[in-house]
Amino acid sequence: MAWRANISRNLLEVTIRCSNSGAESAAARAFILKHYPGIMALNPEFPFLVRPHSNPAPVSLKAVFHAPLDDTSITGRGVPAEKTVDLEGMSMEEIDASLKQLVTEGAQTPEVEVEVPAPIGRALENLVNGNYEGLVWPGAALGYDKTKLPYPRAPFDSSAP
């Protein structure tokens, strides 16, 4: 059951759609009544949504995954993926197993503590590795004078002796 503590780390959102009274939604309602308090206790700010629907709509569990890392994107992330599982005819244990499977799949694109845009990340990596080529001091364009900074010179200033 430790996987339940990773729901908020591995997924962006979970939505269960079920009817309030339909027989096809009985297992989903039982799952919600039994497991929702525990899941929310472990993931207090996680959007675990329960939405009613009319009887013709299918009973479903939808998970939204974190966007995968993509260094070609300016944000460093791609587009979040979604996966929907049809819960009709499933038992409470099968619903639990389906959610566990989605959390396991979500571990492939976990939440990143700090997101840095890809170009900045590459520049920082070059700076850490001592490669100052292509790095320039933007201060002149912003009206700053390097001689009046609190430190002697910018660490990536290649013109300094």
Side-chain angles (χ1 to χ4, degrees):
M1 299 303 171
W3 62 268
R4 288 194 178 127
N6 289 330
I7 290 176
S8 61
R9 180 164 175 76
N10 295 352
L11 301 175
L12 276 176
E13 177 182 293
V14 170
T15 305
I16 294 181
R17 291 196 169 276
C18 61
S19 72
N20 292 331
S21 59
E24 71 281 351
S25 296
R29 288 192 308 271
F31 174 82
I32 293 164
L33 288 173
K34 182 174 182 182
H35 296 293
Y36 183 84
I39 289 171
M40 292 313 294
L42 293 169
N43 306 281
E45 296 181 18
F46 181 72
F48 192 101
L49 311 173
V50 179
R51 297 289 182 247
H53 73 73
S54 58
N55 283 339
V59 182
S60 63
L61 169 67
K62 180 180 87 171
V64 181
F65 300 100
H66 290 283
L69 295 174
D70 179 8
D71 66 350
T72 61
S73 168
I74 190 69
T75 62
R77 288 274 187 174
V79 178
E82 296 181 0
K83 186 169 184 182
T84 303
V85 177
D86 183 17
L87 302 180
E88 197 156 345
M90 285 190 177
S91 67
M92 189 171 59
E93 292 77 20
E94 291 171 327
I95 294 172
D96 193 44
S98 295
L99 180 58
K100 181 178 181 179
Q101 177 62 32
L102 291 171
V103 172
T104 303
E105 288 177 30
Q108 302 304 316
T109 58
E111 179 181 31
V112 175
E113 299 297 327
V114 177
E115 292 186 21
V116 177
I120 294 173
R122 284 190 291 273
L124 289 172
E125 184 179 336
N126 286 340
L127 186 63
V128 168
N129 293 332
N131 179 9
Y132 306 126
E133 186 178 324
L135 296 175
V136 295
W137 171 253
L142 301 173
Y144 297 114
D145 183 1
K146 285 192 280 187
T147 61
K148 296 180 181 173
L149 291 175
Y151 48 87
R153 64 182 175 89
F156 50 85
D157 185 4
S158 60
S159 65

